Amino acid sequence: MTHEPEATPPVLLGTDTFGRPVYGHPLAHQAPVYAPPVPAPARRSPGLSTGRVAVLAGAAVAVSLALAVSLLAVAVSVVALTVCLLILRSVWRDIQKGR
């Protein structure tokens, strides 16, 4: 004699909008199986990374080059103004002497 598993009767879930009974699978009412929680991403240390250091160093070089060019332009302008004033003073003295 063979043993046959007993058929599980369907479970009454309720009625639909027309009053007809709605049946479901008996195993459908088990507790849901959830996936394991995903671990949070690892936090990095708040220190400076290599990329940030490179960006900061590049910015410092760019600012110092811009400052050097600006100071060079000011120095050239001062020399040109001094030469211009010396020439004008010389011309003024010549005019005063009547040459």
Side-chain angles (χ1 to χ4, degrees):
M1 187 162 156
T2 60
H3 182 316
E4 292 183 23
E6 295 180 13
T8 55
V11 177
L12 178 64
L13 297 177
T15 59
D16 62 5
T17 55
F18 299 107
R20 297 178 293 207
V22 176
Y23 295 99
H25 193 274
L27 299 179
H29 296 305
Q30 291 181 346
V33 178
Y34 295 104
V38 177
R43 292 197 173 259
R44 297 186 340 178
S45 64
L48 293 176
S49 65
T50 306
R52 289 182 182 172
V53 169
V55 167
L56 290 175
V61 167
V63 167
S64 57
L65 283 176
L67 183 63
V69 169
S70 300
L71 291 176
L72 183 64
V74 169
V76 168
S77 300
V78 167
V79 169
L81 180 63
T82 303
V83 169
C84 182
L85 288 177
L86 287 174
I87 291 173
L88 284 176
R89 188 180 76 169
S90 172
V91 169
W92 182 253
R93 283 189 180 169
D94 288 345
I95 290 174
Q96 293 295 323
K97 290 183 180 179
R99 293 185 191 173

